[in-house]
Amino acid sequence: MKRIAVLTSGGDAPGMNAAIRAVVRQAISEGMEVYGIQEGYAGMVAGKFIELDVASVGNIVGRGGTFLGSARYPEFAQLEGQLKGIEQLKAHGIEGVVVIGGDGSYHGAMRLTEHGFPAVGVPGTIDNDIVGTDFTIGFDTAVTTAMDAIDKIRDTSASHRRTFVIEVMGRNAGDIALWAGIASGADSIVIPEENFDMDAIAATIRESYESGKKHNIIVLAEGVMSADEFGERLRESADEKDLRDLRVTELGHIQRGGAPTARDRVLASRMGAHAVKLLKEGRGGLAVGIRDEKMVESPILGTAEEGALFSLAAGGKIIVNNPHKADLELADLNRHLATF
Amino acid sequence: MKRIAVLTSGGDAPGMNAAIRAVVRQAISEGMEVYGIQEGYAGMVAGKFIELDVASVGNIVGRGGTFLGSARYPEFAQLEGQLKGIEQLKAHGIEGVVVIGGDGSYHGAMRLTEHGFPAVGVPGTIDNDIVGTDFTIGFDTAVTTAMDAIDKIRDTSASHRRTFVIEVMGRNAGDIALWAGIASGADSIVIPEENFDMDAIAATIRESYESGKKHNIIVLAEGVMSADEFGERLRESADEKDLRDLRVTELGHIQRGGAPTARDRVLASRMGAHAVKLLKEGRGGLAVGIRDEKMVESPILGTAEEGALFSLAAGGKIIVNNPHKADLELADLNRHLATF
Amino acid sequence: MKRIAVLTSGGDAPGMNAAIRAVVRQAISEGMEVYGIQEGYAGMVAGKFIELDVASVGNIVGRGGTFLGSARYPEFAQLEGQLKGIEQLKAHGIEGVVVIGGDGSYHGAMRLTEHGFPAVGVPGTIDNDIVGTDFTIGFDTAVTTAMDAIDKIRDTSASHRRTFVIEVMGRNAGDIALWAGIASGADSIVIPEENFDMDAIAATIRESYESGKKHNIIVLAEGVMSADEFGERLRESADEKDLRDLRVTELGHIQRGGAPTARDRVLASRMGAHAVKLLKEGRGGLAVGIRDEKMVESPILGTAEEGALFSLAAGGKIIVNNPHKADLELADLNRHLATF
Amino acid sequence: MKRIAVLTSGGDAPGMNAAIRAVVRQAISEGMEVYGIQEGYAGMVAGKFIELDVASVGNIVGRGGTFLGSARYPEFAQLEGQLKGIEQLKAHGIEGVVVIGGDGSYHGAMRLTEHGFPAVGVPGTIDNDIVGTDFTIGFDTAVTTAMDAIDKIRDTSASHRRTFVIEVMGRNAGDIALWAGIASGADSIVIPEENFDMDAIAATIRESYESGKKHNIIVLAEGVMSADEFGERLRESADEKDLRDLRVTELGHIQRGGAPTARDRVLASRMGAHAVKLLKEGRGGLAVGIRDEKMVESPILGTAEEGALFSLAAGGKIIVNNPHKADLELADLNRHLATF
């Protein structure tokens, strides 16, 4: 393989730039040329290709976002979109592609591979909800940002003896809530993977104030419900007096940005380089992951027995094999640590 | 004066702990004893006094919030509340009081002074909206927190070519918006002290994208309107296409917390110590400020000619002499710097 | 087991407080009482025991250092010291001990266990050089601190086209150098686990400037030699002109302090709680670790076949089974990423 | 004036990029063209000019260092160097110059003005030691970096009951030491502007430990002596036992780098824009400053009566009028706050 391309797709995540840098530098060090495709699959179809050299990715290892830009492009699910993209890849002499993004973007990688352009997926999303990897690029940074914000809010919470419901991101996964909640000493963590008992939460709040606690922080994963809705329901279940001036807040978009943490930079560097090694061997249709602190790769599509991330069922339905699950031992751990 | 007390009142602000520490240490170094009053004027009335020594305020110079706690207590505006508080002060042998808080809390300090207990106000609020001082304790930290958050959101904004409306705090003052906006390179800053033209903002957004800009950040002071409302009105004034996937976000409570910046710690230390020096001279009914980088004090109540912060008009109405004004040269500066 | 104690030993590390908190809260939630022993084994012998409750460890999850204090105490290697310590444990009704520290402190835990007081070790050190665990508490924070410092120095390096040799901690291990070096985009990483060629480094510097690079950062693990010595040798191997105003710097003690990262807080919380679970089952002589993202424990002393961390050879010599090794794939990765 | 240039000179400082951005954007918004000169006066002589537009300075408001590069160039003190520089200015059609740097670089600005090219100086240095301004660009960031480092070291200091001597930058000025020392709650601050009594410091350390303090931090300005030398002298003046395992450390180059604080970004933006306004009026030979929170300018060379920063005495000797002085009230303040 003489020339490869790299793109970022879906929501941006801190560490994507570090991953692009690793793709570019690893490829060049292996004697390949590299193009960047701007704005994801949309840019591929529109022909937004730029040649990247070592200097193009200088000083970006620590920058948030993605300098290539990202975009949603549902049209790429259709054959027509794919063929246009392939035309562009051919026109630029590209022989392989690295796709950095959520698992939605893996399907495009699979299609390109089927059309003869080996493509490898790299998991970049703050939500940590991608199959085939213990951690995604951006997760550690998002946890850190959420933790920092909760730490700040706790100052205010403690000063005023207030109860706070803080909604964090994570789509349908509770990972950000669990990690940020434990890291910031949250009193309760509410995630979509577990049922919760609003009356028990209300009782916990009451008892914790009675026992002298100065603050009460409930970390809520967005996959459960919105902070506003949760706050309303909590008000229905508790005496206003016990809630101590309840406030609800949604951390919002700060969680997607910011300089990546050391861990995310190293993870992104390893994954980007690993993806290039796979392409160099002519392998595509794979997604990179980290398992037990080691780089691994899994077929994107295939049978569960082959270790594929997704399988096709009758009727074209896509089945997720071995879907991502938040670590419920962390949920249990927090119940012990929030003891009062 | 042999024994003084210190309390924090109103919304908490980063640096309040550093101010308390300065009050305690300065007082002890001048041979006085110090009590802390918990939870503001409410705690004064309820008799929540604790003796503080040097070690009580060890390692708090860098902590957010206020370890004494704060609370609203409108009852202190009534004579009855004041008399109860004074009874408690007498019972604890207190001869002077330092009140750290917003200018609402200054009125209590004035009343105590009138009743024979010299009290000095120290301006602690993130909003920078207090008369008698160039800067308040907590403002620099709030600006820093807002700037950091906007920097993070810009990563995402640039990656997706999105327009963001970001609402920052400041009550009726535009100071946080102006400083954080300039510091983070905002494209527009909208503050209550100036009119704004929604059509011009919409035009700016369109033109900036046409000229190749990758992001568009509008920093909105909460005193103008909410981000949601602003977003709605902007949508009415602009083509959806030009807005590039508009998002609105409210930074919220993180702005009130967090470890104080170096500047806020130094400012709080100076102001706390200065308040003690005034009490030591037997002076009360004053509020501390920083003017031209020097410690100053102003009478809380009196005539404008005396330099008093507030005057009583006929009918008991309180007039704010020389009210705080945001620096509109900063607004003008940003219009030049956001040039495209 | 009704009552346990916890101590921190050896050099302090960020996250030790989070581990103490987890020990205390997990134990209380399991119905046990907990004492803290101040200043490590020295404090055990001197009888510095304090009872800890839930509130004692409130708000410390994010604090650097160890509030129990730590100290070196080589006397505990002798039987006499151990017996004195045991006397104190008995006097306080302690039935089990959690020891948080480097592997030097594990030996004390082994001795206590042999004397009938089950003790469990928890790996707390920034150096990541402890057997039986993939990561130690404090490592991620030290990497982050080093990365932040290198990022700052790079600003200056790039502004002046200077070459910097930056010495980071890690004792005999290159882990901090590898992680911080990759995370900050270092041009070279020099670690004790690999030979290095000073002429090659000099050549790299020359070539990188010729190719237009603006800075050159060499991250040096302290286990190799001091930055001063390295700088001198580099000067001997290179033309002064090529070194572009060489500067050497030692990051120093900032690497041991600071608020722990999210990852260290979660790791410390998991390990502290796991140690308590082992004690609760009456198990001692074990050290906690994380392997493949799961909590594990290993016998401190025994045969290699049993998975023990250390074995006793003839003559009382201690053998380290399966000693810690830095991940040399990271070293290889950086050689590709520093491509120019 | 139709076209101006901007350069950075001397040691780099955080906020220089923000100042460059302000120069460029303000100039463009006033209808002028702007060139950047790379690597200071050396680059001026060598003809390293690049045209800058609005996008050239996008996203740099928050970056440390200077993207134009900086360099020492003593040759510019000679007429020959100046004439070469002027030739280049003429060749590029430049009519005015903004020089961002220490007051050493002001002399070049004065010479250019005398040769008919109005030049304005902007004070950029972390040391805060420049005449004509209350604060320099970069000072607040350096204070913040030093404070953060001292906070981290305090964790370790408190965990081990150690005494630390921490050397901070500042050349001959004690400003960084004073601000960072107060902000981090240092026990002693030693600056060149005041005599110090080593015996008194030793006594303070002893007494503070006796009174129960867990740590002892001495912040030392580099203008006094090196940390190593100070440590040696302290060891001579004190009992080893009282020093509690004395450590000395030099914070070093991290103080020059890093993302500028909000305050430095705003200050740099104001100063850069103000310099352009002066050039626009055809004024040169001036240096920008901030006094009492307002933008001011002073003649670089002239009589003290004119408010000039420097005067020429007989024999060509340069006299500094009204030299910078650290605020000794801060030194006094810390003596009270470090009370024990």
Side-chain angles (χ1 to χ4, degrees):
Chain A
M1 211 167 278
K2 302 277 299 223
R3 185 180 290 170
I4 65 170
V6 56
L7 64 85
T8 48
S9 173
D12 63 312
M16 281 186 161
N17 279 326
I20 297 168
R21 171 181 176 268
V23 169
V24 172
R25 298 258 176 115
Q26 181 76 29
I28 290 173
S29 79
E30 306 239 21
M32 294 188 277
E33 294 173 349
V34 195
Y35 276 72
I37 303 175
Q38 295 174 314
E39 295 174 29
Y41 290 112
M44 182 188 287
V45 170
K48 296 190 172 177
F49 289 64
I50 49 172
E51 191 167 354
L52 299 175
D53 61 14
V54 168
S56 313
V57 291
N59 287 324
I60 66 165
V61 69
R63 301 265 161 80
T66 160
F67 84 100
L68 288 177
S70 189
R72 293 184 60 253
Y73 191 63
E75 294 87 335
F76 205 74
Q78 307 303 320
L79 182 63
E80 196 192 334
Q82 296 158 18
L83 294 180
K84 279 189 198 159
I86 283 164
E87 214 171 298
Q88 291 286 357
L89 291 174
K90 282 186 184 165
H92 289 86
I94 310 293
E95 298 170 77
V97 181
V98 178
V99 175
I100 304 164
D103 51 15
S105 62
Y106 286 6
H107 297 283
M110 194 64 224
R111 294 293 158 256
L112 291 174
T113 306
E114 289 168 354
H115 291 302
F117 286 84
V120 173
V122 169
T125 169
I126 62 166
D127 302 315
N128 207 41
D129 60 352
I130 297 191
V131 285
T133 190
D134 289 343
F135 294 108
T136 56
I137 298 169
F139 172 66
D140 190 59
T141 306
V143 167
T144 300
T145 299
M147 174 189 81
D148 286 343
I150 298 169
D151 279 354
K152 283 183 173 47
I153 291 172
R154 188 161 60 173
D155 290 340
T156 288
S157 175
S159 297
H160 293 278
R161 292 183 164 261
R162 272 182 190 147
T163 299
F164 266 92
V165 175
I166 304 173
E167 179 190 331
V168 300
M169 286 184 167
R171 293 202 305 184
N172 293 315
D175 296 61
I176 293 178
L178 282 173
W179 283 71
I182 290 176
S184 58
D187 298 277
S188 308
I189 303 175
V190 184
I191 55 173
E193 292 87 348
E194 287 187 330
N195 292 322
F196 70 97
D197 177 345
M198 195 62 97
D199 290 333
I201 289 176
T204 299
I205 294 171
R206 188 181 61 246
E207 289 164 27
S208 74
Y209 283 121
E210 284 170 5
S211 78
K213 263 206 163 169
K214 286 195 174 165
H215 55 79
N216 215 296
I217 303 279
I218 299 163
V219 173
L220 171 72
E222 67 175 345
V224 178
M225 63 182 76
S226 77
D228 281 339
E229 189 182 344
F230 190 92
E232 267 177 54
R233 293 207 200 168
L234 179 56
R235 280 201 182 87
E236 291 164 11
S237 298
D239 272 334
E240 180 58 36
K241 168 179 68 67
D242 295 332
L243 293 182
R244 306 272 175 151
D245 199 10
L246 177 70
R247 300 290 166 106
V248 303
T249 193
E250 181 197 335
L251 290 190
H253 291 89
I254 55 170
Q255 296 167 87
R256 295 212 171 276
T261 60
R263 193 164 181 89
D264 268 334
R265 297 189 199 182
V266 172
L267 179 63
S269 299
R270 294 174 75 183
M271 286 182 161
H274 191 69
V276 170
K277 287 181 200 168
L278 296 173
L279 283 184
K280 171 118 182 133
E281 297 168 7
R283 301 172 68 188
L286 301 169
V288 172
I290 185 168
R291 283 265 186 235
D292 306 343
E293 292 299 317
K294 286 178 199 64
M295 288 294 104
V296 296
E297 62 278 344
S298 314
I300 295 173
L301 200 62
T303 65
E305 289 69 34
E306 295 164 339
L309 305 180
F310 303 96
S311 296
L312 273 186
K317 200 169 160 265
I318 290 172
I319 297 167
V320 184
N321 302 324
N322 196 17
H324 166 80
K325 278 181 209 138
D327 182 352
L328 294 186
E329 288 188 23
L330 292 179
D332 191 53
L333 173 63
N334 200 62
R335 277 185 283 269
H336 287 285
L337 299 189
T339 288
F340 56 88
Chain B
M1 210 166 279
K2 302 277 298 222
R3 185 180 290 171
I4 65 170
V6 55
L7 65 84
T8 48
S9 173
D12 62 312
M16 280 186 163
N17 279 325
I20 297 168
R21 171 181 177 268
V23 169
V24 172
R25 298 256 175 117
Q26 181 76 29
I28 290 173
S29 80
E30 307 239 20
M32 293 188 278
E33 294 172 350
V34 194
Y35 276 72
I37 303 175
Q38 295 174 313
E39 295 174 27
Y41 290 111
M44 181 187 287
V45 169
K48 297 192 173 176
F49 289 64
I50 50 172
E51 192 167 356
L52 299 175
D53 61 14
V54 168
S56 313
V57 292
N59 287 322
I60 67 165
V61 70
R63 300 265 161 81
T66 160
F67 84 100
L68 288 177
S70 189
R72 293 183 61 251
Y73 190 65
E75 294 86 336
F76 205 76
Q78 308 303 319
L79 181 63
E80 196 192 335
Q82 296 158 19
L83 293 181
K84 280 188 198 162
I86 283 164
E87 213 170 298
Q88 291 287 356
L89 291 173
K90 282 185 184 164
H92 289 86
I94 310 292
E95 298 172 76
V97 181
V98 177
V99 175
I100 305 165
D103 51 15
S105 63
Y106 286 6
H107 295 283
M110 194 64 223
R111 292 295 159 254
L112 291 174
T113 305
E114 290 168 355
H115 292 302
F117 287 84
V120 174
V122 169
T125 168
I126 63 167
D127 301 316
N128 208 40
D129 60 352
I130 297 190
V131 285
T133 189
D134 288 344
F135 294 107
T136 56
I137 297 169
F139 172 65
D140 190 58
T141 306
V143 167
T144 299
T145 299
M147 173 189 81
D148 286 343
I150 299 170
D151 280 353
K152 283 183 174 44
I153 291 172
R154 188 161 60 172
D155 290 338
T156 288
S157 176
S159 297
H160 293 278
R161 292 183 164 262
R162 271 180 191 149
T163 299
F164 266 92
V165 175
I166 304 173
E167 179 189 331
V168 299
M169 286 184 166
R171 291 203 305 184
N172 294 316
D175 296 61
I176 294 177
L178 281 173
W179 282 71
I182 289 176
S184 58
D187 298 277
S188 308
I189 302 174
V190 184
I191 56 173
E193 291 87 348
E194 286 188 330
N195 292 322
F196 70 96
D197 177 345
M198 194 62 96
D199 290 333
I201 289 177
T204 299
I205 294 171
R206 188 181 60 246
E207 289 163 27
S208 74
Y209 283 122
E210 285 170 4
S211 78
K213 263 206 163 169
K214 286 195 174 166
H215 56 80
N216 215 294
I217 302 279
I218 299 162
V219 173
L220 171 72
E222 66 174 345
V224 178
M225 63 181 76
S226 76
D228 282 338
E229 188 182 346
F230 190 91
E232 266 177 53
R233 291 208 201 166
L234 179 54
R235 280 201 181 87
E236 290 164 11
S237 298
D239 273 332
E240 180 58 35
K241 169 179 66 67
D242 295 332
L243 294 181
R244 306 271 176 152
D245 199 9
L246 177 69
R247 302 288 166 108
V248 303
T249 193
E250 182 197 335
L251 290 189
H253 291 88
I254 56 170
Q255 295 166 87
R256 293 211 173 277
T261 59
R263 192 163 182 90
D264 269 333
R265 297 188 198 182
V266 172
L267 179 62
S269 299
R270 294 174 74 182
M271 287 182 160
H274 191 71
V276 170
K277 286 180 199 169
L278 295 172
L279 283 185
K280 171 116 183 136
E281 296 167 7
R283 301 173 67 189
L286 300 169
V288 172
I290 185 169
R291 283 263 186 239
D292 307 344
E293 292 299 316
K294 285 177 199 66
M295 287 295 102
V296 295
E297 63 276 344
S298 314
I300 295 173
L301 200 64
T303 66
E305 289 69 34
E306 295 163 338
L309 305 180
F310 303 95
S311 297
L312 273 186
K317 198 168 163 266
I318 290 171
I319 296 166
V320 183
N321 301 324
N322 196 16
H324 165 80
K325 279 183 209 137
D327 182 351
L328 294 186
E329 288 188 24
L330 292 179
D332 191 52
L333 173 62
N334 200 63
R335 279 185 282 271
H336 288 284
L337 300 189
T339 287
F340 55 89
Chain C
M1 209 166 280
K2 302 277 298 223
R3 186 181 289 171
I4 65 170
V6 56
L7 63 85
T8 48
S9 173
D12 63 311
M16 280 185 163
N17 279 327
I20 297 168
R21 171 180 177 269
V23 168
V24 172
R25 299 256 175 116
Q26 181 75 30
I28 290 173
S29 80
E30 306 240 21
M32 294 188 277
E33 294 172 350
V34 195
Y35 276 71
I37 303 176
Q38 295 175 314
E39 295 173 28
Y41 290 112
M44 181 188 287
V45 169
K48 296 191 173 176
F49 289 64
I50 49 172
E51 192 168 353
L52 299 175
D53 61 13
V54 167
S56 312
V57 292
N59 286 324
I60 67 166
V61 70
R63 300 265 161 80
T66 158
F67 85 99
L68 288 176
S70 189
R72 293 182 60 251
Y73 190 63
E75 294 86 337
F76 206 75
Q78 307 304 318
L79 182 62
E80 196 192 335
Q82 295 158 20
L83 294 180
K84 279 189 199 160
I86 283 165
E87 214 169 297
Q88 292 286 357
L89 291 174
K90 282 185 185 164
H92 289 86
I94 310 291
E95 298 171 76
V97 182
V98 177
V99 175
I100 305 165
D103 52 15
S105 63
Y106 286 6
H107 296 282
M110 195 63 223
R111 294 293 158 255
L112 291 175
T113 306
E114 289 168 357
H115 292 302
F117 286 85
V120 174
V122 169
T125 169
I126 63 167
D127 302 316
N128 208 39
D129 60 352
I130 297 191
V131 286
T133 189
D134 289 343
F135 294 107
T136 57
I137 297 169
F139 172 66
D140 191 58
T141 307
V143 167
T144 300
T145 300
M147 173 189 81
D148 286 343
I150 299 169
D151 279 354
K152 283 183 173 47
I153 291 172
R154 188 160 61 172
D155 289 339
T156 288
S157 176
S159 298
H160 293 278
R161 291 181 164 263
R162 272 181 191 150
T163 299
F164 265 91
V165 175
I166 304 172
E167 179 190 331
V168 299
M169 285 185 167
R171 293 202 306 184
N172 293 315
D175 297 60
I176 293 178
L178 282 173
W179 282 71
I182 289 176
S184 59
D187 298 277
S188 307
I189 302 173
V190 184
I191 55 172
E193 291 87 348
E194 286 189 330
N195 293 322
F196 70 96
D197 177 345
M198 195 62 97
D199 291 334
I201 289 176
T204 299
I205 294 172
R206 190 181 57 245
E207 289 164 27
S208 75
Y209 283 123
E210 285 171 5
S211 78
K213 262 205 163 169
K214 286 196 173 165
H215 56 79
N216 215 295
I217 302 278
I218 299 163
V219 173
L220 172 72
E222 66 175 345
V224 177
M225 64 182 76
S226 77
D228 282 338
E229 189 182 344
F230 190 92
E232 268 178 51
R233 292 206 201 168
L234 179 56
R235 282 201 179 85
E236 291 164 11
S237 297
D239 274 333
E240 181 58 35
K241 169 179 67 66
D242 295 333
L243 293 182
R244 306 273 174 148
D245 199 10
L246 178 69
R247 301 289 166 108
V248 302
T249 194
E250 182 197 335
L251 291 189
H253 291 88
I254 55 169
Q255 296 165 86
R256 293 211 172 277
T261 59
R263 192 161 182 90
D264 269 333
R265 297 188 198 182
V266 173
L267 179 62
S269 299
R270 293 175 74 182
M271 286 182 161
H274 191 69
V276 170
K277 286 181 199 168
L278 295 173
L279 284 183
K280 171 118 182 135
E281 297 168 6
R283 300 172 69 187
L286 300 170
V288 171
I290 185 168
R291 285 264 186 236
D292 306 343
E293 292 299 317
K294 284 177 201 66
M295 288 295 103
V296 296
E297 61 278 344
S298 315
I300 295 174
L301 200 64
T303 65
E305 288 71 32
E306 295 164 340
L309 305 180
F310 304 96
S311 296
L312 273 185
K317 198 168 162 265
I318 290 172
I319 296 167
V320 184
N321 301 323
N322 195 17
H324 166 81
K325 279 183 207 136
D327 182 351
L328 294 185
E329 287 187 25
L330 292 179
D332 192 53
L333 173 63
N334 201 61
R335 277 185 284 271
H336 287 285
L337 299 189
T339 289
F340 56 89
Chain D
M1 209 166 280
K2 301 276 298 224
R3 184 181 290 173
I4 66 170
V6 56
L7 64 86
T8 49
S9 174
D12 63 312
M16 280 185 162
N17 279 326
I20 297 169
R21 170 180 177 269
V23 169
V24 171
R25 298 257 176 115
Q26 181 76 29
I28 290 173
S29 80
E30 306 240 21
M32 293 188 278
E33 294 171 349
V34 195
Y35 276 72
I37 303 176
Q38 296 174 314
E39 295 173 27
Y41 290 113
M44 181 188 286
V45 170
K48 296 190 173 177
F49 289 64
I50 50 172
E51 192 166 355
L52 299 175
D53 61 14
V54 167
S56 312
V57 293
N59 286 323
I60 67 166
V61 71
R63 300 266 160 80
T66 158
F67 84 100
L68 288 176
S70 189
R72 293 183 60 250
Y73 191 65
E75 294 87 335
F76 205 75
Q78 307 304 320
L79 182 62
E80 196 192 335
Q82 295 158 20
L83 294 180
K84 278 190 200 160
I86 283 165
E87 212 170 299
Q88 291 286 357
L89 291 174
K90 282 186 184 163
H92 290 85
I94 310 293
E95 297 171 77
V97 182
V98 177
V99 175
I100 305 164
D103 52 15
S105 63
Y106 286 6
H107 295 283
M110 195 63 223
R111 293 295 158 254
L112 291 175
T113 305
E114 289 168 355
H115 293 301
F117 286 84
V120 174
V122 169
T125 168
I126 63 166
D127 301 316
N128 209 38
D129 61 353
I130 297 190
V131 285
T133 190
D134 290 343
F135 295 108
T136 56
I137 297 168
F139 171 66
D140 190 59
T141 307
V143 167
T144 300
T145 300
M147 174 189 80
D148 286 342
I150 299 169
D151 280 353
K152 282 183 174 46
I153 291 172
R154 188 160 62 171
D155 289 339
T156 288
S157 176
S159 298
H160 294 276
R161 292 182 164 263
R162 274 183 188 144
T163 299
F164 266 92
V165 174
I166 304 173
E167 179 189 331
V168 300
M169 286 184 166
R171 292 204 304 184
N172 294 315
D175 296 59
I176 293 178
L178 282 173
W179 282 72
I182 290 176
S184 57
D187 298 277
S188 306
I189 303 174
V190 184
I191 55 172
E193 292 86 349
E194 286 187 330
N195 293 322
F196 70 96
D197 177 344
M198 194 61 96
D199 291 333
I201 289 176
T204 300
I205 294 172
R206 189 180 57 248
E207 290 162 27
S208 75
Y209 283 123
E210 285 170 4
S211 78
K213 261 205 164 171
K214 287 197 172 164
H215 55 79
N216 214 295
I217 302 278
I218 299 162
V219 173
L220 172 72
E222 66 175 345
V224 178
M225 64 182 75
S226 76
D228 283 338
E229 189 181 345
F230 190 91
E232 268 178 51
R233 293 207 200 167
L234 180 56
R235 280 201 181 85
E236 291 163 10
S237 298
D239 274 332
E240 181 58 35
K241 169 179 65 68
D242 295 333
L243 293 181
R244 307 272 174 150
D245 198 11
L246 178 69
R247 302 289 166 107
V248 302
T249 193
E250 182 197 335
L251 290 189
H253 291 89
I254 55 169
Q255 295 165 89
R256 293 211 172 278
T261 59
R263 193 163 179 90
D264 269 333
R265 297 189 198 181
V266 172
L267 180 63
S269 299
R270 294 174 73 182
M271 286 182 160
H274 191 69
V276 169
K277 287 181 199 167
L278 295 172
L279 283 185
K280 172 117 183 137
E281 297 168 6
R283 300 172 68 187
L286 300 170
V288 171
I290 185 169
R291 283 263 186 237
D292 306 343
E293 291 299 317
K294 284 178 200 63
M295 288 294 104
V296 296
E297 62 278 343
S298 314
I300 295 174
L301 200 64
T303 65
E305 289 69 33
E306 296 164 338
L309 305 180
F310 304 95
S311 295
L312 273 185
K317 199 169 160 265
I318 289 172
I319 296 166
V320 183
N321 301 324
N322 195 16
H324 166 80
K325 278 182 207 137
D327 181 351
L328 294 186
E329 288 188 25
L330 292 179
D332 192 53
L333 173 63
N334 201 62
R335 278 185 284 272
H336 288 284
L337 299 189
T339 288
F340 56 88

